[in-house]
Amino acid sequence: LQKILILLQVTLSVVVGKTLMILFPNAMKRYILKMGEKSRMNQNPKFSYENWGPTFFSFKYLQFVLKVKWKRLEDEAYEGHPAPNTPVVTLGGEVCHVLDFMKDNRPLILNFGSCT
């Protein structure tokens, strides 16, 4: 159900965005450039608006946003519910999932830290 709602929301956003790009190209260019400022896309002098601006509200944009939003659904944890089985990469470069490290009925403890 959540995936369907996300599909509807993102599809509607893309359809409205694409329509506005056709009807009001200059206003949408300013809007997209503002979004580029927030993500600092426009700070790279070799990466102009013409390279990335027209890709907004395209079919590939729709696919990418859906993929990201659907993947984030798997990463959310809720109290009283099972833990998400998030993908992780081992030090050896192997992709597996957090719950692959469970052994028998023992609790799995994740320790997050950093070395400097």
Side-chain angles (χ1 to χ4, degrees):
L1 181 62
Q2 287 179 318
K3 284 188 175 184
I4 293 172
L5 291 174
I6 290 171
L7 172 65
L8 292 174
Q9 181 222 357
V10 173
T11 303
L12 180 63
S13 172
V14 168
V15 168
V16 169
K18 192 63 155 177
T19 303
L20 291 174
M21 282 183 82
I22 293 168
L23 297 175
F24 309 103
N26 292 332
M28 286 304 288
K29 181 178 179 178
R30 286 192 303 273
Y31 173 73
I32 291 170
L33 285 171
K34 278 261 195 237
M35 289 175 28
E37 287 174 17
K38 289 180 184 177
S39 65
R40 298 188 301 252
M41 287 176 73
N42 61 344
Q43 291 181 357
N44 184 344
K46 295 181 180 179
F47 200 54
S48 67
Y49 170 81
E50 285 71 24
N51 291 339
W52 56 270
T55 64
F56 274 78
F57 309 116
S58 65
F59 184 68
K60 285 193 179 222
Y61 173 87
L62 171 71
Q63 288 177 310
F64 176 76
V65 173
L66 284 175
K67 181 180 174 184
V68 169
K69 286 185 176 263
W70 285 348
K71 195 71 173 155
R72 286 186 182 161
L73 283 176
E74 298 170 9
D75 295 338
E76 293 182 17
Y78 300 99
E79 187 175 341
H81 290 81
N85 197 13
T86 305
V88 292
V89 179
T90 66
L91 293 174
E94 179 187 350
V95 176
C96 52
H97 291 82
V98 169
L99 298 181
D100 294 341
F101 295 96
M102 292 283 298
K103 292 188 178 165
D104 299 323
N105 208 15
R106 295 179 8 202
L108 176 65
I109 298 172
L110 302 176
N111 184 10
F112 298 94
S114 63
C115 298
T116 53

